[in-house]
Amino acid sequence: MNILTIEHLTRVYGTGPTAVTALDDVSFTVDAGEFVVIVGSSGSGKSTLMHLMGGVDRPTSGTVRLQGQDIFARSDEELAVFRRREVGLVYQFYNLIPVLDVVENMTLPVLMDGRAVNEDRLASLIQTLGLTGREHHLPNQLSGGQQQRVAIGRALMNAPAVILADEPTGNLDTKNSAEIMALLRSSNRQLKQTLIVITHDEDIALMADRVIAIEDGRIVRDERRA
Ligand SMILES: Nc1ncnc2c1ncn2[C@@H]1O[C@H](COP(=O)(O)OP(=O)(O)O)[C@@H](O)[C@H]1O
Ligand SMILES: [Mg+2]
């Protein structure tokens, strides 16, 4: 079943002679539950694509449809709600709020949405993520790997349709990278969570169902594993 449809997506930054076409007429679809890795050299347009899929930025032209809905048909306010409810974003540098503890960071998007925290889900995520006993630690009291687990927990709290992770292990050592990828992969496999990961790491690419390679804002390879 199709979950994500990207059609003729183009993003040009700036205007006139200094304009940069970061994404150039990109189209592809993703099935529900797929684990897709996006690879490409620095500056190839990977983060631009991720920001558009996550509704963080608007395209110059083209569409992104998630579960049949054109996400850019929404107003900015509706798009903010979309980002909190329907996608889970994970970044290289975690993007946690420094003055909030583990539980507060994980539940912030739910509370900002004016909704009640699902305490069972929170407790089960804290356990799965190995954060038991760290519930009231601040980000600077945690290791990088633990901070990324909190960011993953925050992304998973709303049970989003898609998890989008932009170089989630880019700042971690080998052991923590492997643990973070194991967590993402198990939520992909066990919860049938659709997972899209940008990475430079060949080992991560080998774990995926499918690898999409981008160069100069265009898809140059799209391979599904048997
Ligand atoms: N906000 C921006 N303003 C202008 N140019 C940008 C902006 N963000 C990215 N770019 C440019 O767009 C291209 C693609 O960037 P990006 O999507 O970040 O690539 P990647 O994540 O693959 O390294 C690069 O040439 C980059 O310099
Ligand atoms: Mg990038």
Side-chain angles (χ1 to χ4, degrees):
M1 192 190 70
N2 167 284
I3 194 162
L4 186 68
T5 303
I6 313 274
E7 279 179 322
H8 303 297
L9 204 60
T10 295
R11 178 67 166 98
V12 181
Y13 293 110
T15 52
T18 59
V20 173
T21 303
L23 212 59
D24 187 4
D25 194 24
V26 163
S27 301
F28 62 96
T29 63
V30 175
D31 286 341
E34 237 184 332
F35 174 12
V36 180
V37 155
I38 296 175
V39 297
S41 54
S42 180
S44 58
K46 305 180 299 294
S47 293
T48 298
L49 173 60
M50 199 62 112
H51 290 150
L52 292 171
M53 291 190 291
V56 177
D57 182 26
R58 289 183 185 268
T60 305
S61 58
T63 56
V64 173
R65 274 182 287 137
L66 185 66
Q67 292 172 320
Q69 303 268 334
D70 177 355
I71 71 171
F72 298 114
R74 297 165 200 239
S75 67
D76 287 351
E77 290 73 20
E78 290 168 339
L79 208 51
V81 173
F82 165 86
R83 283 196 296 274
R84 290 198 293 267
R85 291 190 189 170
E86 297 182 57
V87 288
L89 292 158
V90 178
Y91 295 98
Q92 180 176 356
F93 295 105
Y94 330 128
N95 286 17
L96 301 175
I97 312 276
V99 297
L100 298 184
D101 70 20
V102 167
V103 166
E104 289 167 336
N105 266 287
M106 282 178 63
T107 55
L108 185 67
V110 177
L111 296 174
M112 280 177 66
D113 230 13
R115 296 193 291 165
V117 171
N118 181 334
E119 296 292 343
D120 289 343
R121 186 169 180 86
L122 177 63
S124 113
L125 277 172
I126 284 181
Q127 194 186 3
T128 309
L129 295 167
L131 292 167
T132 305
R134 300 287 187 283
E135 290 88 342
H136 301 295
H137 283 52
L138 296 173
N140 69 8
Q141 297 171 316
L142 301 171
S143 70
Q146 287 169 334
Q147 289 183 64
Q148 193 61 297
R149 282 178 231 179
V150 177
I152 290 169
R154 177 179 58 186
L156 288 171
M157 258 318 277
N158 269 326
V162 180
I163 292 280
L164 302 170
D166 191 347
E167 309 205 24
T169 65
N171 202 39
L172 300 176
D173 60 31
T174 311
K175 177 170 171 288
N176 275 295
S177 295
E179 286 176 12
I180 289 297
M181 281 316 302
L183 281 168
L184 287 171
R185 189 178 155 80
S186 82
S187 92
N188 163 249
R189 287 287 180 269
Q190 282 158 32
L191 309 175
K192 311 276 183 247
Q193 176 76 63
T194 307
L195 177 62
I196 304 180
V197 177
I198 292 176
T199 187
H200 286 297
D201 189 329
E202 290 289 330
D203 291 339
I204 295 176
L206 287 172
M207 295 166 79
D209 300 318
R210 177 179 172 193
V211 177
I212 294 176
I214 296 190
E215 280 311 326
D216 293 328
R218 291 177 158 268
I219 292 180
V220 293
R221 184 160 54 89
D222 185 349
E223 285 170 0
R224 274 197 171 81
R225 242 173 263 286

